[in-house]
Amino acid sequence: MTKSTKTLHGAIALAGISALALTACTGPSGGGGTSTGSAGGGAITYGTTDKVVTLDPAGSYDGGSFMVMNQIYPFLLNYAPGTADAAPDIAESASFTSPTEFTVKLKPGLKFANGHTLDSSDVVFSFNRVMSINDPNGPASLLANMEKIEATDPDTVVFTLKAGNDQVFPGVLASNPGPIVDEEVFPADKIMDDDAIVAAKPFAGQYTIDSYKKNELVNFKPNPDYQGLLGEAANDGATLKHYADPNNLKLDVQQGNIDVAGRILTATDVADLESDSNVKVHKGPGGELRYMVFNFDTMPFGAKTPEADPAKALAVRQAIAHLVDRDVIASQVFKNTYTPVYSYVPKEFEGATEPLKSLYGDGSGKPSLEKAKQVLTDAGITSVVDVKLQYTDRYGTSAADEYALVKEQLEKSGLFTVDLKSTEWTTYTKERRRCLPRLPARLVPGLLRRRQLPHAVLHPRQLPGQPLREPGRDRRRQQAAGHHRQGRTERAAWPGPGSHRQGPLHPAPAPGCPGDGRRN
Amino acid sequence: MTTLIDAPPGDTGGILPAARKSSGGGLGQYILVRFLLIFPTIFILVTMVFFLMRITGDPITAAMGGRLPADQLQERIEAAGYDRPILVQYFEYLGQLATGNFGRTLTDNRAVVEMLTTYGSATLELSLNALVVALLVGIPLGMLAAHRRDKAPDAVLRVFAILCYATPVFFAGMLLKLTFSVWLGWLPVAGRAKTSSELALTSLEAPTGIYWLDALRSGNMAAFADVLAHAVLPAVALGLLTAGIFLRLVRTNVIGTLGRDYIEAGRSRGISEYRLVTKHAYKPALIPIITVMGLQIAVMLGGAVLTEKTFEWKGLGFQLANYLTARDFVAVQGIVVLLAIIVALTNFIVDIIAALIDPRVRY
Amino acid sequence: MTAKTILGLLPETASSSGTVLINGADVISVSAERLRQIRGRDVAMVFQEPSTALNPVFTVGWQIAEGIRAHSGRNGGKRVSAKEAKARAVEALRKVGIPDPDHRVNYYPHHFSGGQKQRVVIAAALALNPGLIVADEPTTALDVTVQAEILELLRDLRDKYGTSIVLITHNMGVVADLADRVVVMYQGNVVEEAPARKLFAEPRQDYTRKLLAAVPHLGHNSASEGQTVRPHQDAEVLVAAHNLSIEYPGRLGTPAFTAVDRVSFTVSRGEVFGLVGESGSGKTTIGRAIAGLNRTTGGSLKVLGYEMLDFRERTFRPLRKDIGFVFQDPAASFNPQLTIGECIAEPMVIHTKPSPAQARKRVGELLESVQLPASYACRYPHELSGGQRQRASLARALSLNPRLLIADEPTSALDVSVQAKVLDLFKDIQQEFGFACLFISHDLAVVDILSSWVGVLYKGRLVEQGVGSQVMGNPRHDYTKRLIASLPVPDPEEQARRREQHRALLGI
């Protein structure tokens, strides 16, 4: 349910939501608001445009794969519906026993659906496997802070961490590298085939997979042996149907061919569905932020430009922040499936404030041309500033409209000219990396810094239950986070989380991201 | 022609030697020669695909470059053997193909062969359905247009044919969907079957992957009806493209045939116009149509990419688009090679059918 | 056209009036359904081109049966089963002399030779025992020897079954051979109608007289009349073939086809060498080989001293201007986008590169020499009639004053009266220009008019050559005898005699 929608179809759908969607979607503020899970019975069909890369936890680090994994694999910690804190799932207890030691005690008598025993050895195997396979598509990077993992007895594992008191670590265990796999089934050194996985039934999550057609149809059956945090499945099973075209997804939910339509619907489709009496659109807060990022080296007056001047560069960034009209973008482009945000932390999160609201624009959230002019004049900038703005449509087809509007808003002021470019995703990824050479672990040598950023970095469609990604290692978030690491970026964070019931996260507030102190 | 000068003048009363030869083992030999020709065709196609795919570099870099640090990338390239001379890789690839090993996809780690069989059956089903539509629409309408040549029905049908093959497949698909699914609600929007039918059909023993066949085999009539309902729009969208071409083709050929002396001869014997069009002119006109049909299969497979996307028909074309986007060249190569083989085989089959219809083709 | 009207087979663009009565029914005005019933049952038709009058993808038996079944089961008629229809088809095939009809009824048309196909077409016409058969140029597409057989068959049908035949033909020999009564038509009007013998003996109308005079008549008007030795023997030999063989490579798995087999002859300066043969005899292949359009594969062929066995386009090119070529179909040999003048000037432009004024002058001269107004140079090929085009074609061939001219059936696409004029012109020009000529034709009478020295080709072999009048008058080889005996002469009395001889020759 991308950006905001959850749609229901009939009574069965309600039941279904509680089972599947709730399991899948833990959100900070009550998520989809579906607490009617007691309806019980029936099976639901959930449609999505997400894709599964692989069911092997060592080989995927994406929402589509994780969505399925979250149903079928057990986690040491997981998010209970409606909470933002990782709590023990198949673990009986999990806590720091010293600043660098995180000890987890498993519930007794755990079994996989194939009858194999699930004990601490499987847990150790699972985490070591992610690390040693270190697949480019895999989540090994999230375990960067893990030095080693040991089983002290069949029910106990101890994680030894490199840096102490890592408050993110419990969240890591509930995220992509977290699924516990059957060591009698999975090979230690390579990715396992999906069909082989399904055939071997190494499941110990809330559901098992009954039949599997990759990226077409996945049929889940409740796992009677599951005794974790999420509890017993409230339905008789669920079917996940993959779509390629969001339009088909929308039409099918409208016609009742599926019970729930999840990610990704376009803003227009959502607006359309809201007017359909057969479909109920659920909106909740989402964790997705859309923002622009400046490259401090190459932006106007940036460090590597001939006229480098940090004060002027700051003025440019501030002027842009003064000029962007979040309301207009939210309503025109996103049909209000996004809402303006004036913070690094969406306001749905506990304790979030809106510091940017008063800092920029007219003080009440609207843009201010006077202030923009003022800040530029004060910095001694008199000529029109040329800004190069680059975006990718990876994060939704609305990006083109969105940036066209940004361009218009900036140019209308007479203070800026905007050179707008769209880049295909693969190129985008490569170019972005070139611009960010100091990013650890994934940099491409031979740095070319010709490309200007502001990139538009959009905040990932969050997937249910992958709450705490270590930001710096999230491919899609990397840029923003990376900049933060270097303490060299700032964000004009605007239209924000439309709605998504989930993901406590976006990188900014995450501990270990020192960058957010550095704001304009 | 070794008859000597002094041979009696009776050759005009006997079967020509050359003709006699052709009526015997001609067909067998013809089929054999055609069959043997498949192999060089496939070989050339495979070679072209292989080298074209490699022009841009090795598949690992294409799929993962930019996502892996250089050393890890290099490690993978070496592990997969992509650092060796391209000719060595080429011969190894040929060897693998010969043993039916197409490798594994890079982006989602599947055996290419398994991927091909899974999605191939879906595309096969779609293409067969579309072919049926094309034939059912194109041939009778083409014959009608030919019969009513230059009259109103002909004019209407010609415009219809142009619309059919000038309309992009995806656009036709959207229009059909909008009309019959969204407005009228008669037919399902997308997909190959309802979730329940699909689950039932995929859990069968040894499914063929062709849903209507699986439904029939398992006697699941509800699923069969459901599969048919889902099949209609995609088949029509894709089939109309070819139907338009068939219509024109049948019209032109039947008109050409109707102008032949043997039709006049038939008419002079009192054979009715209807029978002349549907029987006497039809079969000779069919021969060039069948040949073109072979070529149309390739066009149809191309159209399947768009149709499959429009209708959520999870087939080869759909996958091809996905893998292309992801730059998974191992998968793309597998699909393209399979399509090439299908086209080569189809042309072979078409040649055989043409030979069976046309007694003169054999040599 | 008249024939088609009899069966109501006119295209929709044609309108007809008056009456055509068939067994009391007026074909012009009856209903379509009634017309359909008349067709095949009362009147049947035999077509000019047997290879196109049969549907290539159905067996001959099926096609004959279709006609039978089309007239069964309706209007009180007895329904005919498929089996019965087939039996009747076999019977019809037997009537027309197809050997082993029980078996061949299942053959496809391409299994039969041209003459046999025409028999099948006739069988299809006979299948319902119609009172009348309309035969539209039934022998025009056939070789002379086959033509004789088909005419024999038609005569048999008339005699044995009392079938009336409307025979439509341009060939006066065929008329003389078969017809009892003749109607002469000219531009849509009936010119003269008379019993055959009377018409040929004492034609009353001018047109008829001219027509009869224009028909080449074997033994009349021979170029070599009274000669006993070969003329031009002492002149320079321009073409010398010695054991010349030409093979066409076979397709995969089939042996090569020998089109010309060990042929020896010479053509001397100023001589017209007539090469006669039926279709497939290799005569055109020889002509093309001499012009350097076909490769020779054995023996020796010297053209203007050049050994064609060692043919290289580069070394042969200088000789091309000395060789002219006139094609059978003048319509096809002209580029429709060029004017006649441009076409004629083309060889000059290539070989001698004259100035435009020179070229124009030469084109004018050439056109004049072939008796065309010089103003025709500005016209396009389609604006000329067939005879005019063929003259222009001749002018083009002569444009470079060739020493050797190859004329491949130059008159066979022309009407009789036009043919006569072109032949006269050709003869005059040849005498005037004095070039050597290889004249290729299937028509003995035409060859005899032009050539004093004649060679007879049969299946790639030159079976006989000699002075024209001697070969025609006293053939020595069996094939030549048969060929000449088969050729109907435009004189019913004489043709009746010849027919008897022919029968004797064939031992019937």
Side-chain angles (χ1 to χ4, degrees):
Chain A
M1 298 221 163
T2 293
K3 312 199 164 144
S4 63
T5 25
K6 172 169 352 169
T7 36
L8 305 180
H9 207 272
I12 294 177
L14 284 175
I17 285 296
S18 63
L20 186 71
L22 270 187
T23 349
C25 318
T26 52
S29 55
T34 46
S35 52
T36 48
S38 55
I44 62 157
T45 311
Y46 179 97
T48 180
T49 58
D50 273 338
K51 278 184 204 149
V52 171
V53 172
T54 171
L55 291 184
D56 188 328
S60 69
Y61 184 3
D62 60 276
S65 306
F66 191 77
M67 152 100 191
V68 178
M69 287 184 204
N70 209 10
Q71 318 303 324
I72 56 173
Y73 294 122
F75 289 72
L76 295 178
L77 302 173
N78 211 335
Y79 296 95
T83 68
D85 291 319
D89 183 6
I90 59 165
E92 205 159 71
S93 66
S95 58
F96 280 96
T97 45
S98 89
T100 57
E101 278 189 359
F102 190 77
T103 304
V104 179
K105 206 162 165 43
L106 298 175
K107 287 175 181 162
L110 295 170
K111 280 200 180 311
F112 287 102
N114 54 22
H116 299 159
T117 311
L118 195 175
D119 61 13
S120 58
S121 161
D122 290 297
V123 176
V124 171
F125 173 79
S126 301
F127 286 94
N128 282 337
R129 184 171 176 270
V130 169
M131 292 301 285
S132 63
I133 291 179
N134 194 18
D135 192 88
N137 296 325
S141 55
L142 287 187
L143 295 173
N145 196 27
M146 185 183 91
E147 190 171 308
K148 60 176 182 185
I149 173 173
E150 288 163 314
T152 52
D153 66 57
D155 292 334
T156 314
V157 287
V158 178
F159 294 88
T160 309
L161 306 182
K162 290 172 187 163
N165 285 322
D166 182 355
Q167 293 309 310
V168 187
F169 196 71
V172 170
L173 296 183
S175 70
N176 297 61
I180 308 302
V181 299
D182 184 351
E183 67 177 327
E184 290 169 71
V185 167
F186 285 81
D189 55 349
K190 60 174 193 273
I191 303 297
M192 195 171 173
D193 222 23
D194 283 6
D195 289 332
I197 293 175
V198 171
K201 295 197 168 296
F203 308 126
Q206 201 179 16
Y207 291 91
T208 63
I209 292 180
D210 183 43
S211 78
Y212 185 78
K213 270 186 99 179
K214 188 163 188 172
N215 284 329
E216 286 188 49
L217 207 57
V218 187
N219 198 38
F220 297 94
K221 283 270 171 269
N223 177 7
D225 297 333
Y226 177 70
Q227 28 179 306
L229 173 69
L230 304 174
E232 196 187 331
N235 53 27
D236 293 346
T239 308
L240 178 66
K241 197 167 181 174
H242 291 276
Y243 285 83
D245 184 351
N247 187 39
N248 288 328
L249 176 64
K250 176 219 166 197
L251 289 171
D252 261 1
V253 76
Q254 241 173 338
Q255 302 205 336
N257 296 325
I258 54 173
D259 302 315
V260 185
R263 318 162 38 77
I264 296 175
L265 294 169
T266 63
T268 325
D269 284 347
V270 171
D272 191 24
L273 285 174
E274 282 183 312
S275 63
D276 187 328
S277 61
N278 289 326
V279 178
K280 186 167 183 197
V281 177
H282 285 259
K283 288 188 177 182
E288 179 172 332
L289 290 177
R290 304 182 73 89
Y291 49 87
M292 301 190 328
V293 179
F294 294 88
N295 183 325
F296 276 34
D297 284 346
T298 56
M299 68 171 290
F301 311 106
K304 300 282 170 67
T305 57
E307 62 276 18
D309 182 340
K312 285 185 177 174
L314 174 63
V316 167
R317 297 194 295 272
Q318 290 175 333
I320 290 176
H322 283 304
L323 287 173
V324 172
D325 189 338
R326 295 164 170 78
D327 277 334
V328 171
I329 294 172
S331 63
Q332 286 192 5
V333 178
F334 295 102
K335 317 287 182 225
N336 290 325
T337 54
Y338 278 67
T339 55
V341 65
Y342 303 94
S343 169
Y344 307 111
V345 188
K347 62 179 178 223
E348 288 77 12
F349 286 87
E350 213 173 317
T353 56
E354 294 190 327
L356 306 179
K357 199 166 192 168
S358 51
L359 269 174
Y360 298 114
D362 65 357
S364 61
K366 301 301 287 179
S368 165
L369 179 58
E370 290 71 36
K371 285 193 182 174
K373 273 183 183 156
Q374 188 63 42
V375 72
L376 289 179
T377 317
D378 290 353
I381 301 171
T382 49
S383 56
V384 173
V385 180
D386 184 35
V387 180
K388 291 188 166 64
L389 192 58
Q390 188 119 11
Y391 69 94
T392 174
D393 56 9
R394 170 78 168 198
Y395 302 115
T397 46
S398 309
D401 297 340
E402 183 181 8
Y403 281 91
L405 200 52
V406 169
K407 175 180 159 83
E408 189 194 314
Q409 291 177 354
L410 294 181
E411 290 186 339
K412 204 172 63 184
S413 71
L415 303 174
F416 292 96
T417 57
V418 178
D419 180 10
L420 195 56
K421 280 206 175 83
S422 158
T423 313
E424 189 253 341
W425 170 246
T426 316
T427 319
Y428 179 86
T429 322
K430 286 183 183 171
E431 291 295 321
R432 193 187 59 186
R433 225 167 293 283
R434 286 175 179 174
C435 300
L436 302 170
R438 271 169 280 183
L439 257 183
R442 295 199 191 171
L443 47 116
V444 179
L447 343 155
L448 284 169
R449 293 182 163 221
R450 59 194 152 86
R451 193 64 63 110
Q452 291 250 356
L453 295 175
H455 277 295
V457 171
L458 307 168
H459 248 249
R461 12 183 272 183
Q462 289 297 337
L463 226 241
Q466 25 174 183
L468 279 181
R469 291 178 173 174
E470 195 252 11
R473 310 308 298 266
D474 179 340
R475 292 204 304 280
R476 289 169 302 194
R477 218 173 296 153
Q478 191 171 19
Q479 171 185 10
H483 280 290
H484 273 280
R485 282 258 163 91
Q486 307 306 326
R488 305 177 66 244
T489 36
E490 64 180 349
R491 284 168 287 162
W494 30 284
S499 45
H500 209 159
R501 57 214 178 288
Q502 128 254 35
L505 54 87
H506 78 95
C513 280
D516 46 345
R518 181 72 179 260
R519 57 189 63 123
N520 4 18
Chain B
M1 291 295 216
T2 51
T3 320
L4 293 174
I5 310 176
D6 296 322
D11 79 278
T12 51
I15 299 285
L16 288 175
R20 194 178 296 135
K21 203 189 314 172
S22 69
S23 59
L27 186 60
Q29 195 193 3
Y30 175 81
I31 293 176
L32 183 70
V33 170
R34 288 282 143 166
F35 182 72
L36 291 177
L37 279 175
I38 295 178
F39 294 100
T41 312
I42 291 177
F43 172 75
I44 291 167
L45 288 169
V46 164
T47 305
M48 278 172 54
V49 170
F50 179 85
F51 285 103
L52 285 177
M53 288 288 171
R54 292 305 177 81
I55 283 175
T56 49
D58 71 275
I60 302 261
T61 313
M64 300 181 185
R67 290 201 283 131
L68 276 183
D71 53 336
Q72 281 188 40
L73 196 65
Q74 192 57 32
E75 212 171 274
R76 277 165 184 277
I77 289 173
E78 280 165 23
Y82 289 131
D83 55 334
R84 294 171 301 160
I86 186 132
L87 278 180
V88 174
Q89 295 181 45
Y90 168 65
F91 285 116
E92 187 185 82
Y93 177 65
L94 286 186
Q96 287 173 347
L97 283 192
T99 56
N101 174 8
F102 283 60
R104 298 186 81 82
T105 63
L106 294 170
T107 46
D108 56 1
N109 191 45
R110 315 175 69 175
V112 173
V113 171
E114 176 252 299
M115 184 264 293
L116 292 180
T117 46
T118 310
Y119 295 109
S121 53
T123 298
L124 182 65
E125 181 178 340
L126 176 62
S127 303
L128 284 178
N129 293 347
L131 193 62
V132 169
V133 170
L135 294 175
L136 285 183
V137 173
I139 290 182
L141 291 187
M143 284 167 58
L144 177 65
H147 184 55
R148 312 286 299 152
R149 183 185 180 183
D150 295 330
K151 305 242 170 66
D154 182 31
V156 170
L157 285 172
R158 275 154 71 185
V159 172
F160 170 73
I162 291 170
L163 283 179
C164 279
Y165 59 72
T167 311
V169 175
F170 71 91
F171 183 67
M174 305 253 282
L175 278 184
L176 287 169
K177 199 156 81 172
L178 211 59
T179 313
F180 293 100
S181 305
V182 179
W183 290 342
L184 297 172
W186 292 349
L187 291 166
V189 172
R192 294 177 62 193
K194 276 197 305 217
T195 315
S196 54
S197 318
E198 208 161 356
L199 282 174
L201 293 175
T202 44
S203 60
L204 287 178
E205 283 283 307
T208 59
I210 296 172
Y211 281 179
W212 56 262
L213 192 59
D214 285 338
L216 280 184
R217 286 195 333 173
S218 63
N220 187 343
M221 282 307 136
F224 182 69
D226 179 47
V227 166
L228 283 192
H230 278 81
V232 172
L233 290 185
V236 169
L238 183 55
L240 277 187
L241 170 81
T242 320
I245 294 167
F246 282 3
L247 199 162
R248 294 290 300 229
L249 207 63
V250 170
R251 177 186 176 274
T252 310
N253 279 293
V254 170
I255 285 176
T257 314
L258 284 175
R260 292 300 183 83
D261 284 356
Y262 51 78
I263 297 301
E264 187 104 323
R267 197 172 285 138
S268 80
R269 277 170 226 141
I271 294 162
S272 67
E273 288 300 309
Y274 175 77
R275 189 155 175 85
L276 282 174
V277 172
T278 56
K279 189 83 188 176
H280 292 242
Y282 171 60
K283 201 171 158 191
L286 204 58
I287 293 163
I289 294 167
I290 283 181
T291 311
V292 175
M293 216 192 278
L295 302 175
Q296 279 302 313
I297 300 288
V299 176
M300 209 179 246
L301 288 174
V305 175
L306 295 167
T307 315
E308 287 179 4
K309 184 127 172 64
T310 310
F311 289 101
E312 295 292 334
W313 196 279
K314 305 277 169 59
L316 278 185
F318 178 80
Q319 282 304 101
L320 182 61
N322 284 346
Y323 285 125
L324 272 174
T325 319
R327 304 200 176 194
D328 187 336
F329 286 167
V330 174
V332 170
Q333 190 165 313
I335 295 175
V336 174
V337 164
L338 180 70
L339 293 182
I341 292 174
I342 290 173
V343 171
L345 281 176
T346 318
N347 280 321
F348 165 70
I349 293 167
V350 159
D351 280 347
I352 300 302
I353 294 175
L356 290 175
I357 292 186
D358 185 353
R360 297 163 302 174
V361 169
R362 313 155 197 171
Y363 63 84
Chain C
M1 217 32 118
T2 311
K4 291 191 171 179
T5 315
I6 298 178
L7 276 89
L9 287 177
L10 287 175
E12 291 169 29
T13 46
S15 58
S16 46
S17 57
T19 52
V20 177
L21 291 176
I22 292 174
N23 291 352
D26 182 2
V27 176
I28 308 294
S29 56
V30 295
S31 72
E33 178 54 25
R34 178 82 187 94
L35 190 60
R36 194 188 66 72
Q37 289 167 12
I38 290 172
R39 289 176 188 159
R41 201 186 57 198
D42 297 338
V43 189
M45 185 145 176
V46 175
F47 295 82
Q48 173 170 0
E49 184 62 78
S51 55
T52 62
L54 290 171
N55 196 324
V57 299
F58 293 104
T59 63
V60 294
W62 186 88
Q63 295 185 51
I64 298 172
E66 273 289 288
I68 296 169
R69 287 160 66 82
H71 292 282
S72 74
R74 287 183 219 180
N75 303 65
K78 189 162 66 77
R79 184 118 208 115
V80 180
S81 71
K83 203 173 155 197
E84 196 186 334
K86 191 165 171 182
R88 281 166 68 175
V90 172
E91 195 45 48
L93 287 175
R94 183 169 290 127
K95 271 189 198 168
V96 298
I98 295 283
D100 192 13
D102 294 304
H103 187 210
R104 300 228 173 124
V105 72
N106 293 324
Y107 278 25
Y108 289 94
H110 73 279
H111 290 136
F112 295 90
S113 67
Q116 281 181 316
K117 277 186 214 162
Q118 193 62 299
R119 285 172 190 265
V120 171
V121 172
I122 294 170
L126 277 179
L128 287 160
N129 287 323
L132 174 66
I133 288 180
V134 178
D136 184 2
E137 301 271 15
T139 60
T140 308
L142 305 175
D143 281 328
V144 179
T145 48
V146 182
Q147 166 176 291
E149 292 168 25
I150 296 296
L151 292 175
E152 194 66 38
L153 172 65
L154 290 173
R155 201 175 1 260
D156 269 5
L157 297 180
R158 177 193 64 188
D159 298 344
K160 281 191 196 159
Y161 306 106
T163 312
S164 310
I165 297 172
V166 175
L167 175 73
I168 295 154
T169 182
H170 70 285
N171 187 327
M172 296 308 274
V174 170
V175 175
D177 191 41
L178 191 61
D180 300 314
R181 204 157 54 84
V182 183
V183 174
V184 180
M185 292 193 71
Y186 177 62
Q187 290 188 345
N189 295 314
V190 171
V191 176
E192 187 168 352
E193 182 177 350
R197 282 168 198 257
K198 187 163 174 240
L199 182 94
F200 279 94
E202 35 191 279
R204 279 170 303 167
Q205 299 295 323
D206 274 356
Y207 175 76
T208 316
R209 269 195 289 276
K210 267 193 279 180
L211 187 66
L212 286 174
V215 176
H217 188 146
L218 193 63
H220 295 189
N221 211 3
S222 171
S224 54
E225 212 160 352
Q227 290 173 359
T228 51
V229 290
R230 183 175 186 178
H232 306 286
Q233 274 194 78
D234 306 327
E236 181 193 0
V237 173
L238 296 183
V239 179
H242 183 70
N243 280 339
L244 170 66
S245 293
I246 301 175
E247 290 184 348
Y248 291 111
R251 290 173 83 171
L252 201 63
T254 58
F257 171 69
T258 307
V260 176
D261 188 12
R262 284 164 290 161
V263 165
S264 303
F265 64 89
T266 61
V267 182
S268 305
R269 174 187 288 278
E271 182 183 38
V272 177
F273 181 86
L275 198 53
V276 181
E278 298 187 326
S279 55
S281 62
K283 54 190 193 303
T284 296
T285 305
I286 290 177
R288 291 174 58 84
I290 293 173
L293 301 173
N294 261 8
R295 303 298 303 271
T296 62
T297 50
S300 156
L301 175 64
K302 278 202 163 77
V303 177
L304 305 174
Y306 185 93
E307 176 54 65
M308 300 302 281
L309 209 57
D310 308 323
F311 180 87
R312 293 281 177 282
E313 181 59 41
R314 196 169 47 79
T315 54
F316 186 71
R317 180 168 300 151
L319 294 174
R320 284 206 186 276
K321 67 175 168 29
D322 288 326
I323 302 172
F325 205 106
V326 181
F327 294 89
Q328 171 170 5
D329 185 354
S333 66
F334 280 106
N335 183 337
Q337 264 90 46
L338 297 181
T339 62
I340 293 296
E342 286 166 332
C343 287
I344 294 175
E346 202 176 19
M348 281 190 275
V349 172
I350 290 169
H351 289 284
T352 62
K353 302 185 172 55
S355 72
Q358 281 173 319
R360 255 196 303 281
K361 183 158 168 282
R362 177 82 181 124
V363 168
E365 287 169 11
L366 285 166
L367 284 174
E368 223 158 90
S369 65
V370 295
Q371 295 172 12
L372 285 177
S375 63
Y376 274 38
C378 303
R379 298 198 177 185
Y380 284 90
H382 69 269
E383 296 175 296
L384 271 59
S385 71
Q388 287 169 335
R389 266 201 295 263
Q390 198 56 296
R391 290 183 206 197
S393 173
L394 189 56
R396 178 174 58 175
L398 296 174
S399 63
L400 290 167
N401 271 330
R403 288 194 281 160
L404 175 65
L405 184 77
I406 297 152
D408 188 1
E409 304 261 17
T411 60
S412 55
L414 306 176
D415 283 342
V416 177
S417 51
V418 180
Q419 167 177 286
K421 283 183 202 152
V422 172
L423 286 177
D424 274 349
L425 174 73
F426 195 88
K427 207 167 178 172
D428 292 347
I429 290 177
Q430 197 270 332
Q431 272 156 13
E432 186 188 333
F433 288 77
F435 50 80
C437 176
L438 180 73
F439 190 91
I440 298 167
S441 179
H442 70 284
D443 191 330
L444 286 163
V446 167
V447 169
D448 191 36
I449 291 170
L450 278 184
S451 319
S452 44
W453 191 256
V454 173
V456 180
L457 266 181
Y458 177 57
K459 295 195 170 177
R461 291 244 186 145
L462 194 60
V463 294
E464 183 165 352
Q465 56 179 322
V467 172
S469 53
Q470 289 180 352
V471 172
M472 308 295 166
N474 187 18
R476 281 170 299 158
H477 192 275
D478 281 350
Y479 172 71
T480 320
K481 286 179 188 165
R482 211 165 70 231
L483 189 64
I484 288 165
S486 306
L487 184 73
V489 295
D491 179 342
E493 309 264 356
E494 188 187 348
Q495 178 57 21
R497 272 198 309 280
R498 288 172 54 85
R499 198 158 57 229
E500 292 314 311
Q501 288 169 3
H502 185 204
R503 283 180 178 156
L505 188 72
L506 294 177
I508 301 170

